[in-house]
Amino acid sequence: MDRNQILVIGGGAAGLVAAIAAARNGSEVKIIERMNRVGKKILATGNGRCNLTNVYANVDRYHGKNPWFIKDALEQFSVEQTIDFFEELGVACKEERDGKVYPYSDQASSVLDVLRYELEELGVEEICDAEVVRIQPTKKGFNVHTKNNEIIKGDKVILTAGGRAAPNLGSNGSGYKLALDLGHRMVETFPALVQLRLDSPHLKGINGVKFQGKAALGVRDKVLREEMGEILFTAYGISGPPIFQLSRKASEQLSEGNSPWIEVDIFPDAGDKEVFDLIRRRLDYRPNKPLDFSFVGLLNKRLIPAVIKEADIADMHKPCREVMPKEIKSIVNILKRWRFKITGTQSWTEAQVTAGGIDVEDVNPVTMESKLVPGFYLAGEILDIDGDCGGYNLQWAWSSGYVAGYYASINY
Ligand SMILES: Cc1cc2nc3c(=O)[nH]c(=O)nc-3n(C[C@H](O)[C@H](O)[C@H](O)COP(=O)(O)OP(=O)(O)OC[C@H]3O[C@@H](n4cnc5c(N)ncnc54)[C@H](O)[C@@H]3O)c2cc1C
C-alpha cells in the first residue's frame, strides 16, 4: 500500500514536531521551507537559550478570540510529554524561575540539532528555499505550488508557516494568504511580546538605564495588569520581560483607540513611607550636598536629573537642607509611580509573537484539521493564539504541531 504523503509547509517549531509525529506514524513527510534552512527562529529563542516550555502552561496564559481552543492540544501533548519528548531526543531539561524550562546545555541550537537528527532518522525530506504560494486541493489530495514554479503533491497538508513576527527569521505572513485562499477567516493581527514606545522628554537621557522594578499598565484610572522584573529604558521607550508581558494588552488598548499608560515603580520592595524616610535620612546626613548628588549611589546616575525634573523641582543643585518635605514627597511619587504615555509598539521586526491570525473557529481543536478543507491542518503561531512570555508560545507550537502531525498521519 502507498504511504500517506504529508506536506508540512514551514519548518519552524510547529512544523518540525508535526513532521516527527507524522513520520513516526509511518507517513512519508516532506517539509517545505522558504528559508535556506529550517528552524531559524528556534535558534533565536530565549536569547539563544530556548525557553522551550513552562510548567505552568494553561489556558490563562494564552490569548486570542478563543483561548480555550488550546486545551485539547495541550492535554494531548502536555508539558510533561513535551519534556519527555525532548529528553528522549537528548535534550536534558531544567526548570528555572517562574516555571521556565530550558535545555541543560543553555543552547537553543541543541534543540534544533536533536529535532533535525530525528527528522533525518525518520527519513523526512527538507525542501528549503521554497516559498509556498498556493495550496490547491485536488481529487486525491493537494498540489502545493512554490515561488520557483515547482508543484509538490501530497495527500495531506499541514500549514505551520507562523505569523508576522520577526520576518527576518522566516515568518513573513505569507502563510495567511494560503489559508485565506482556501476560505478560512482571519482575526486582525498585531505585534505581541514587543517593546513599547513612550512619549517622554527624558528618554534620551535615561536611555540604557536598567533596574529591577514593577511596571503597571493602565488606561484612564484603571490598572489592567502589573508585572515585576528587569525593566530597561531605551531611546524609543521601554523594554524588558515585564514590558513584553504587558505589551499585548497595550497593543489591544491602542488598537481600540484608547490612551494606555505605563507606570514604573523603581522601589517595588518598599512602601512610600520607607522611600520617603530613606531620602530624608540621606538629605539630613549631608545637608550641604547638592540635591542631585545626594542620590548618587542610590539611583542610576542617568535617572537622577530626570526624576528631579519630573518631580517639578526647578533647582536640582540646591543644597539638601533647602529641600522641603513636599518636594521629597514629589520625588517619592515619581520613584514609585512614574507614569508614561504609551504611543505605540515597536515593529514586527522586533516583535516576538503575533497576536491574531487564522480564526480558530474554522479549525477542529482536537485534531487541528480545518473544518472547511478535509486533509488540511493548521498549527502554531499562524492560528489566532498567542501566549505570554515564558515558554508558552513554543509549547503551543509543539503541542499543536504534534497533534496536527499525529492526526494527519492516522486519518488516512
Ligand atoms: C527572538 C524571539 C525569541 C523567542 N523566544 C521564545 C522563547 O524563548 N520561548 C517561547 O516559548 N517562544 C519564544 N518565541 C516565540 C516562538 O519562537 C514562536 O511562537 C514559535 O517559534 C512559533 O512557531 P511556528 O512553527 O508556529 O512558527 P515559526 O517558528 O515562525 O516558523 C514558521 C516557518 O514557516 C516558514 N514559512 C513561512 N511562510 C512560508 C511559506 N509561504 N512557504 C514555506 N515556508 C514558509 C518560515 O520561514 C518559518 O521557518 C520567540 C520568538 C522570537 C522572534
Side-chain angles (χ1 to χ4, degrees):
M1 193 180 105
D2 281 351
R3 282 164 76 201
N4 182 10
Q5 305 212 328
I6 297 183
L7 306 178
V8 176
I9 302 174
L16 299 185
V17 169
I20 290 173
R24 283 182 178 175
N25 269 305
S27 297
E28 192 178 318
V29 185
K30 291 188 176 105
I31 299 174
I32 311 171
E33 167 57 51
R34 64 180 287 270
M35 302 293 274
N36 61 359
R37 58 172 295 184
V38 300
K40 287 208 168 183
K41 193 179 283 177
I42 294 175
L43 297 176
T45 56
N47 281 327
R49 292 175 63 218
C50 187
N51 174 195
L52 60 95
T53 183
N54 193 298
V55 299
Y56 301 121
N58 68 45
V59 175
D60 298 346
R61 295 303 198 150
Y62 292 92
H63 316 279
K65 228 172 71 181
N66 175 17
W68 284 97
F69 180 82
I70 65 135
K71 198 166 171 284
D72 281 296
L74 241 74
E75 273 170 17
Q76 292 182 76
F77 194 66
S78 64
V79 172
E80 295 74 39
Q81 280 162 294
T82 303
I83 292 172
D84 286 351
F85 172 87
F86 280 106
E87 292 264 355
E88 202 252 321
L89 292 183
V91 176
C93 294
K94 58 172 172 177
E95 185 183 328
E96 295 192 2
R97 224 177 41 169
D98 302 327
K100 294 179 186 173
V101 177
Y102 291 88
Y104 223 89
S105 60
D106 279 330
Q107 285 180 309
S109 60
S110 53
V111 174
L112 181 58
D113 288 348
V114 299
L115 289 170
R116 292 198 64 205
Y117 183 86
E118 180 71 358
L119 290 164
E120 205 179 315
E121 290 270 289
L122 291 164
V124 172
E125 192 184 339
E126 291 174 10
I127 305 171
C128 290
D129 289 316
E131 179 165 329
V132 173
V133 290
R134 184 174 167 218
I135 301 168
Q136 181 189 17
T138 62
K139 271 195 192 132
K140 223 199 124 280
F142 296 88
N143 286 346
V144 165
H145 299 246
T146 72
K147 217 173 189 171
N148 323 326
N149 295 320
E150 250 187 290
I151 299 178
I152 306 165
K153 291 179 188 300
D155 300 307
K156 307 273 178 61
V157 166
I158 304 176
L159 182 59
T160 48
R164 292 191 207 281
N168 54 319
L169 301 173
S171 45
N172 63 349
S174 59
Y176 296 129
K177 184 173 181 302
L178 302 175
L180 289 172
D181 287 350
L182 293 174
H184 299 82
R185 288 167 291 178
M186 185 156 167
V187 175
E188 203 188 324
T189 57
F190 56 88
L193 304 194
V194 65
Q195 305 85 346
L196 296 175
R197 303 183 75 86
L198 304 178
D199 179 19
S200 164
H202 304 297
L203 291 177
K204 207 168 150 224
I206 60 180
N207 179 15
V209 172
K210 262 189 202 164
F211 59 97
Q212 290 291 328
K214 186 163 86 180
L217 171 75
V219 68
R220 291 178 289 277
D221 54 359
K222 195 166 167 224
V223 172
L224 302 174
R225 184 169 172 174
E226 291 181 336
E227 291 290 332
M228 301 270 291
E230 188 175 82
I231 297 170
L232 168 69
F233 284 118
T234 66
Y236 57 78
I238 196 161
S239 179
I243 305 306
F244 271 52
Q245 218 63 295
L246 300 176
S247 61
R248 188 195 201 278
K249 261 203 180 329
S251 278
E252 230 171 43
Q253 290 296 329
L254 287 163
S255 66
E256 285 168 17
N258 293 328
S259 299
W261 44 260
I262 199 146
E263 234 173 46
V264 297
D265 181 349
I266 299 172
F267 286 92
D269 299 326
D272 281 30
K273 179 158 184 331
E274 278 173 272
V275 181
F276 182 95
D277 291 346
L278 173 71
I279 296 174
R280 165 106 270 172
R281 270 200 309 277
R282 293 175 72 93
L283 301 185
D284 289 349
Y285 185 58
R286 293 290 181 99
N288 294 328
K289 251 190 195 176
L291 171 64
D292 55 347
F293 195 64
S294 78
F295 285 100
V296 171
L298 179 67
L299 291 182
N300 182 306
K301 279 189 248 176
R302 305 193 73 162
L303 276 181
I304 299 169
V307 168
I308 298 177
K309 268 189 214 152
E310 201 57 23
D312 229 6
I313 300 173
D315 179 7
M316 69 173 74
H317 306 301
K318 67 177 170 185
C320 290
R321 69 183 128 76
E322 287 176 19
V323 179
M324 300 286 130
K326 196 176 86 194
E327 293 174 316
I328 304 178
K329 262 197 180 152
S330 302
I331 293 174
V332 172
N333 204 34
I334 300 304
L335 295 175
K336 294 289 294 170
R337 288 170 292 278
W338 195 353
R339 189 178 280 202
F340 299 86
K341 184 174 173 216
I342 301 171
T343 53
T345 66
Q346 286 292 79
S347 71
W348 286 114
T349 313
E350 287 85 19
Q352 290 200 353
V353 173
T354 313
I358 298 302
D359 195 333
V360 295
E361 283 279 302
D362 292 337
V363 181
N364 179 333
V366 178
T367 60
M368 295 293 140
E369 188 173 14
S370 158
K371 291 180 186 169
L372 312 179
V373 183
F376 177 62
Y377 296 73
L378 301 103
E381 198 176 312
I382 191 166
L383 291 169
D384 171 30
I385 290 290
D386 59 288
D388 282 349
C389 189
Y392 302 101
N393 287 293
L394 279 174
Q395 183 59 57
W396 169 242
W398 313 130
S399 291
S400 57
Y402 191 92
V403 167
Y406 174 77
Y407 283 101
S409 61
I410 63 163
N411 289 340
Y412 183 55

Coordinates of all heavy atoms in Angstrom, one line a residue, residues 9-16 32-35 37-42 44-47 49-53 102 130-133 159-163 165-166 169-175 178 193 349-354 379-382 388 390-397, ligand 1:
I9 N 4.1 22.7 5.5 CA 4.6 24.0 5.0 C 5.1 24.8 6.1 O 4.3 25.3 6.9 CB 3.4 24.6 4.2 CG1 3.0 23.7 3.1 CG2 3.9 26.0 3.6 CD1 1.8 24.3 2.3
G10 N 6.4 25.0 6.2 CA 7.0 25.8 7.2 C 7.8 25.0 8.2 O 7.1 24.2 9.0
G11 N 9.1 25.1 8.2 CA 9.9 24.3 9.1 C 10.3 25.0 10.3 O 11.5 25.1 10.6
G12 N 9.3 25.5 11.1 CA 9.6 26.1 12.4 C 9.3 25.1 13.5 O 9.2 23.9 13.2
A13 N 9.1 25.6 14.7 CA 8.9 24.7 15.8 C 7.7 23.8 15.6 O 7.8 22.6 15.8 CB 8.6 25.5 17.1
A14 N 6.5 24.4 15.2 CA 5.3 23.5 15.0 C 5.5 22.5 13.8 O 5.2 21.4 13.9 CB 4.1 24.4 14.7
G15 N 6.1 23.0 12.7 CA 6.3 22.2 11.6 C 7.2 21.0 11.8 O 7.0 19.9 11.4
L16 N 8.3 21.2 12.5 CA 9.3 20.2 12.8 C 8.7 19.1 13.6 O 8.9 17.9 13.4 CB 10.6 20.7 13.4 CG 11.3 21.8 12.6 CD1 12.6 22.2 13.3 CD2 11.6 21.3 11.2
I32 N 8.4 21.8 3.6 CA 8.7 22.8 2.5 C 9.0 24.1 3.3 O 8.1 24.6 4.0 CB 7.6 22.9 1.5 CG1 7.2 21.5 1.1 CG2 8.0 23.8 0.4 CD1 5.9 21.5 0.2
E33 N 10.1 24.7 3.1 CA 10.6 25.8 3.9 C 11.1 27.0 3.0 O 11.9 26.7 2.1 CB 11.6 25.4 4.9 CG 12.4 26.5 5.6 CD 11.6 27.4 6.4 OE1 10.7 27.0 7.2 OE2 11.7 28.7 6.1
R34 N 10.6 28.2 3.3 CA 11.0 29.3 2.4 C 12.5 29.8 2.6 O 13.1 30.3 1.7 CB 10.1 30.5 2.4 CG 10.0 31.2 3.8 CD 9.0 32.3 3.7 NE 9.5 33.4 2.9 CZ 10.3 34.4 3.4 NH1 10.5 34.5 4.7 NH2 10.7 35.4 2.7
M35 N 13.0 29.5 3.8 CA 14.4 30.0 4.1 C 15.4 28.9 3.6 O 15.0 27.8 3.2 CB 14.5 30.2 5.6 CG 13.6 31.2 6.2 SD 13.8 32.9 5.6 CE 15.1 33.5 6.8
R37 N 17.3 27.2 5.4 CA 17.3 26.1 6.3 C 16.2 26.2 7.3 O 15.6 27.2 7.5 CB 18.7 25.9 7.0 CG 19.1 27.1 7.9 CD 20.3 26.8 8.7 NE 20.0 25.7 9.7 CZ 20.8 25.3 10.6 NH1 22.1 25.7 10.6 NH2 20.5 24.4 11.4
V38 N 15.8 25.1 7.9 CA 14.7 25.0 8.8 C 15.1 25.5 10.2 O 16.3 25.6 10.5 CB 14.1 23.6 8.9 CG1 13.6 23.1 7.6 CG2 15.0 22.6 9.6
G39 N 14.1 26.0 11.0 CA 14.3 26.2 12.4 C 15.1 27.4 12.8 O 15.7 27.5 13.9
K40 N 15.2 28.4 11.9 CA 16.0 29.6 12.2 C 15.5 30.3 13.4 O 16.3 30.9 14.2 CB 16.0 30.6 11.0 CG 16.8 30.1 9.9 CD 17.4 31.2 9.0 CE 18.4 30.7 8.1 NZ 19.1 31.6 7.3
K41 N 14.1 30.4 13.6 CA 13.6 31.1 14.7 C 14.0 30.4 16.0 O 14.2 31.0 17.0 CB 12.1 31.3 14.6 CG 11.6 32.3 15.6 CD 10.1 32.5 15.5 CE 9.8 33.4 14.3 NZ 8.3 33.6 14.1
I42 N 14.0 29.1 16.0 CA 14.3 28.3 17.2 C 15.6 28.8 17.8 O 15.8 28.9 19.0 CB 14.2 26.8 17.0 CG1 12.8 26.4 16.6 CG2 14.8 26.0 18.2 CD1 12.7 24.9 16.2
A44 N 17.0 31.6 17.7 CA 16.9 32.9 18.4 C 16.1 32.9 19.7 O 16.1 33.9 20.4 CB 16.3 33.9 17.4
T45 N 15.5 31.8 20.0 CA 14.5 31.9 21.2 C 15.3 31.9 22.5 O 16.4 31.5 22.6 CB 13.6 30.7 21.2 OG1 14.4 29.5 21.2 CG2 12.6 30.7 20.0
G46 N 14.6 32.6 23.4 CA 15.2 32.6 24.8 C 16.6 33.2 24.8 O 17.4 32.7 25.6
N47 N 16.8 34.3 24.0 CA 18.1 34.9 23.9 C 19.2 33.8 23.6 O 20.3 33.8 24.2 CB 18.5 35.6 25.3 CG 17.9 36.9 25.4 OD1 17.7 37.6 24.4 ND2 17.5 37.3 26.6
R49 N 19.0 30.7 24.3 CA 19.0 29.6 25.2 C 17.7 28.7 25.1 O 17.6 27.6 25.6 CB 19.0 30.1 26.7 CG 20.3 30.8 27.1 CD 20.1 31.4 28.5 NE 19.9 30.3 29.5 CZ 19.0 30.4 30.5 NH1 18.4 31.5 30.7 NH2 18.9 29.4 31.3
C50 N 16.7 29.2 24.3 CA 15.5 28.5 24.1 C 14.7 28.1 25.3 O 14.9 27.0 25.9 CB 15.7 27.2 23.2 SG 14.1 26.4 22.8
N51 N 13.8 29.0 25.7 CA 12.9 28.7 26.8 C 11.8 27.8 26.2 O 10.8 28.3 25.7 CB 12.4 30.1 27.3 CG 11.3 29.9 28.4 OD1 10.6 30.9 28.7 ND2 11.2 28.8 29.0
L52 N 12.0 26.5 26.3 CA 11.2 25.6 25.4 C 9.8 25.3 25.9 O 8.9 24.9 25.2 CB 11.9 24.4 25.0 CG 12.4 23.4 26.1 CD1 11.5 22.3 26.3 CD2 13.8 22.9 25.6
T53 N 9.6 25.5 27.2 CA 8.2 25.4 27.7 C 8.1 26.0 29.1 O 9.1 26.6 29.6 CB 7.7 23.9 27.8 OG1 6.3 23.9 28.2 CG2 8.5 23.1 28.7
Y102 N 14.4 25.2 30.3 CA 15.5 25.4 29.3 C 16.3 24.1 29.1 O 16.3 23.3 29.9 CB 16.5 26.5 29.8 CG 15.9 27.9 29.9 CD1 15.3 28.3 31.0 CD2 16.1 28.7 28.8 CE1 14.8 29.6 31.1 CE2 15.6 30.1 28.9 CZ 14.9 30.5 30.0 OH 14.5 31.7 30.1
A130 N 12.1 27.3 -0.7 CA 10.9 27.0 -1.5 C 9.7 27.7 -0.8 O 9.1 27.1 0.1 CB 10.7 25.5 -1.6
E131 N 9.4 28.9 -1.2 CA 8.2 29.6 -0.6 C 6.9 29.1 -1.2 O 6.8 29.1 -2.5 CB 8.4 31.1 -0.7 CG 7.2 31.8 -0.1 CD 7.4 33.3 0.1 OE1 8.6 33.7 0.4 OE2 6.4 34.1 0.0
V132 N 6.0 28.6 -0.4 CA 4.8 28.1 -1.0 C 3.9 29.3 -1.3 O 3.7 30.2 -0.4 CB 4.1 27.2 0.0 CG1 2.7 26.8 -0.5 CG2 4.9 25.9 0.2
V133 N 3.3 29.4 -2.5 CA 2.4 30.5 -2.9 C 1.0 30.1 -3.1 O 0.1 30.9 -3.1 CB 3.0 31.2 -4.1 CG1 4.3 31.9 -3.8 CG2 3.2 30.2 -5.3
L159 N -0.2 23.2 7.5 CA 0.3 24.6 7.4 C 0.8 25.1 8.7 O 0.1 25.3 9.6 CB -0.8 25.5 6.8 CG -0.4 26.9 6.5 CD1 0.8 27.0 5.5 CD2 -1.6 27.8 6.0
T160 N 2.1 25.3 8.8 CA 2.8 25.8 10.0 C 3.7 26.9 9.6 O 4.9 26.9 9.9 CB 3.6 24.6 10.7 OG1 4.4 24.0 9.7 CG2 2.7 23.6 11.3
A161 N 3.2 27.9 8.9 CA 4.0 29.0 8.3 C 4.2 30.1 9.3 O 4.8 31.1 8.9 CB 3.4 29.5 7.0
G162 N 3.8 30.0 10.6 CA 4.0 31.1 11.5 C 3.2 32.3 11.2 O 2.3 32.3 10.4
G163 N 3.5 33.4 12.0 CA 2.8 34.7 11.8 C 3.6 35.7 11.1 O 4.2 35.4 10.0
A165 N 5.6 38.0 13.1 CA 6.7 38.5 14.0 C 8.1 38.0 13.5 O 8.2 36.8 13.1 CB 6.4 38.0 15.4
A166 N 9.1 38.8 13.6 CA 10.4 38.5 13.3 C 10.5 38.0 11.8 O 11.0 36.8 11.7 CB 11.0 37.5 14.3
L169 N 13.5 36.0 10.4 CA 13.7 34.6 10.7 C 12.7 33.7 9.9 O 12.6 32.5 10.2 CB 13.5 34.4 12.2 CG 14.5 35.2 13.1 CD1 14.1 35.1 14.6 CD2 15.9 34.8 12.9
G170 N 12.0 34.2 9.0 CA 11.3 33.4 8.0 C 9.8 33.7 8.0 O 9.2 33.6 6.9
S171 N 9.2 34.0 9.1 CA 7.7 34.1 9.1 C 7.3 35.5 8.6 O 7.2 36.5 9.4 CB 7.2 33.9 10.5 OG 8.0 34.7 11.4
N172 N 7.0 35.6 7.3 CA 6.8 36.9 6.7 C 5.3 37.1 6.5 O 4.9 38.0 5.7 CB 7.5 37.0 5.3 CG 7.0 35.9 4.4 OD1 6.3 35.0 4.7 ND2 7.4 36.1 3.1
G173 N 4.4 36.3 7.1 CA 3.0 36.5 6.9 C 2.4 35.9 5.7 O 1.2 35.9 5.5
S174 N 3.2 35.2 4.9 CA 2.7 34.7 3.6 C 1.8 33.5 3.8 O 1.0 33.1 2.9 CB 3.9 34.3 2.7 OG 4.7 33.4 3.3
G175 N 1.9 32.9 5.0 CA 1.1 31.7 5.3 C -0.4 32.1 5.4 O -1.3 31.3 5.0
L178 N -2.3 31.8 2.2 CA -2.6 30.4 1.8 C -3.9 29.9 2.4 O -4.7 29.2 1.7 CB -1.4 29.5 2.2 CG 0.0 29.9 1.6 CD1 1.1 29.0 2.2 CD2 0.0 29.8 0.1
L193 N 4.3 40.7 22.6 CA 5.6 40.5 23.2 C 6.6 41.4 22.4 O 7.4 40.9 21.6 CB 6.0 39.0 23.1 CG 5.1 38.0 23.8 CD1 5.8 36.7 23.9 CD2 4.6 38.5 25.1
T349 N 9.4 43.6 13.2 CA 10.8 43.1 13.2 C 11.3 42.8 14.6 O 12.1 41.9 14.8 CB 11.7 44.2 12.5 OG1 11.1 44.6 11.3 CG2 13.1 43.7 12.2
E350 N 10.8 43.7 15.5 CA 11.3 43.5 16.9 C 10.4 42.6 17.7 O 10.7 42.1 18.8 CB 11.4 44.8 17.7 CG 12.6 45.7 17.2 CD 12.2 46.5 16.0 OE1 11.0 46.7 15.8 OE2 13.2 47.0 15.3
A351 N 9.1 42.3 17.2 CA 8.2 41.6 18.0 C 8.5 40.1 18.0 O 9.1 39.6 17.1 CB 6.8 41.7 17.4
Q352 N 8.2 39.5 19.2 CA 8.5 38.0 19.3 C 7.3 37.2 18.8 O 7.5 36.0 18.5 CB 8.9 37.7 20.7 CG 10.2 38.2 21.1 CD 10.8 37.5 22.3 OE1 10.2 36.7 22.9 NE2 12.1 37.9 22.6
V353 N 6.1 37.7 18.9 CA 4.9 36.9 18.7 C 3.8 37.7 18.0 O 3.8 38.9 18.1 CB 4.4 36.3 20.0 CG1 3.1 35.6 19.8 CG2 5.4 35.3 20.6
T354 N 3.0 37.0 17.2 CA 1.9 37.6 16.5 C 0.6 37.4 17.3 O 0.3 36.2 17.6 CB 1.7 37.0 15.1 OG1 3.0 36.9 14.5 CG2 0.7 37.8 14.3
A379 N -1.3 24.6 12.4 CA -0.8 24.6 13.8 C 0.2 25.7 14.0 O 0.8 26.2 13.1 CB -0.1 23.2 14.1
G380 N 0.4 26.0 15.3 CA 1.4 27.0 15.7 C 0.9 28.4 15.6 O -0.3 28.7 15.7
E381 N 1.8 29.3 15.4 CA 1.5 30.8 15.6 C 0.6 31.3 14.5 O 0.1 32.4 14.6 CB 2.9 31.5 15.6 CG 2.8 32.9 16.1 CD 4.1 33.6 16.3 OE1 5.1 33.0 16.8 OE2 4.2 34.8 15.8
I382 N 0.5 30.6 13.4 CA -0.4 31.1 12.3 C -1.8 31.2 12.8 O -2.6 32.0 12.2 CB -0.3 30.1 11.0 CG1 -1.0 30.8 9.8 CG2 -0.9 28.7 11.3 CD1 -0.7 30.2 8.5
D388 N 1.7 34.2 26.7 CA 2.6 35.1 27.5 C 4.0 34.8 27.2 O 4.3 33.7 26.6 CB 2.3 34.9 29.0 CG 1.0 35.6 29.4 OD1 0.5 36.4 28.7 OD2 0.6 35.3 30.6
G390 N 7.6 33.4 28.3 CA 8.0 32.5 29.3 C 7.9 31.0 28.9 O 7.9 30.1 29.7
G391 N 8.0 30.7 27.6 CA 8.0 29.4 27.1 C 6.6 28.9 26.6 O 6.4 27.8 26.1
Y392 N 5.6 29.8 26.8 CA 4.2 29.4 26.4 C 4.0 29.3 24.9 O 3.2 28.5 24.4 CB 3.2 30.4 27.0 CG 3.3 30.4 28.5 CD1 4.0 31.5 29.1 CD2 2.8 29.4 29.3 CE1 4.1 31.5 30.5 CE2 2.9 29.5 30.7 CZ 3.6 30.5 31.3 OH 3.8 30.6 32.7
N393 N 4.7 30.1 24.1 CA 4.5 30.1 22.7 C 5.1 28.9 22.0 O 4.5 28.3 21.1 CB 5.0 31.4 22.1 CG 4.0 32.6 22.4 OD1 2.9 32.6 22.0 ND2 4.5 33.5 23.3
L394 N 6.3 28.5 22.5 CA 6.8 27.3 21.9 C 6.0 26.1 22.3 O 5.8 25.2 21.5 CB 8.3 27.1 22.4 CG 9.3 28.0 21.6 CD1 10.7 27.9 22.2 CD2 9.3 27.5 20.1
Q395 N 5.5 26.1 23.6 CA 4.6 25.0 24.0 C 3.4 24.9 23.1 O 3.1 23.8 22.7 CB 4.2 25.2 25.4 CG 3.4 24.0 26.0 CD 4.1 22.7 25.9 OE1 5.2 22.5 26.5 NE2 3.6 21.7 25.2
W396 N 2.9 26.0 22.7 CA 1.7 25.9 21.8 C 2.1 25.4 20.4 O 1.5 24.5 19.8 CB 1.1 27.3 21.6 CG 0.1 27.4 20.5 CD1 0.2 28.1 19.4 CD2 -1.1 26.6 20.4 NE1 -0.9 27.9 18.6 CE2 -1.7 26.9 19.2 CE3 -1.7 25.6 21.2 CZ2 -2.9 26.4 18.7 CZ3 -2.9 25.0 20.7 CH2 -3.5 25.4 19.5
A397 N 3.3 25.8 20.0 CA 3.8 25.3 18.7 C 4.0 23.8 18.8 O 3.6 23.0 17.9 CB 5.1 26.0 18.3
Ligands
LIG1 C1 13.5 36.5 19.1 C2 12.5 35.5 19.5 C3 12.6 34.9 20.7 C4 11.6 34.0 21.2 N1 11.8 33.3 22.3 C5 10.9 32.4 22.7 C6 11.1 31.6 23.9 O1 12.2 31.6 24.5 N2 10.1 30.8 24.3 C7 8.9 30.7 23.6 O2 8.0 30.0 24.0 N3 8.7 31.4 22.5 C8 9.6 32.3 22.0 N4 9.4 33.0 20.9 C9 8.2 32.7 20.1 C10 8.3 31.4 19.4 O3 9.6 31.3 18.8 C11 7.2 31.3 18.3 O4 5.9 31.5 18.8 C12 7.3 29.9 17.6 O5 8.6 29.6 17.1 C13 6.2 29.7 16.5 O6 6.4 28.5 15.9 P1 5.8 28.2 14.4 O7 6.4 27.0 14.0 O8 4.3 28.4 14.5 O9 6.3 29.4 13.5 P2 7.7 29.9 13.1 O10 8.7 29.4 14.1 O11 7.7 31.3 12.7 O12 8.0 29.0 11.8 C14 7.4 29.2 10.6 C15 8.2 28.7 9.5 O13 7.5 28.7 8.2 C16 8.3 29.3 7.2 N5 7.4 29.9 6.2 C17 6.6 31.0 6.4 N6 5.9 31.2 5.2 C18 6.2 30.2 4.4 C19 5.8 29.8 3.1 N7 4.9 30.6 2.4 N8 6.3 28.8 2.5 C20 7.3 28.0 3.1 N9 7.7 28.3 4.4 C21 7.2 29.3 5.0 C22 9.2 30.2 7.9 O14 10.4 30.5 7.2 C23 9.5 29.5 9.2 O15 10.6 28.7 9.2 C24 10.4 33.8 20.4 C25 10.3 34.5 19.2 C26 11.3 35.3 18.8 C27 11.2 36.0 17.4

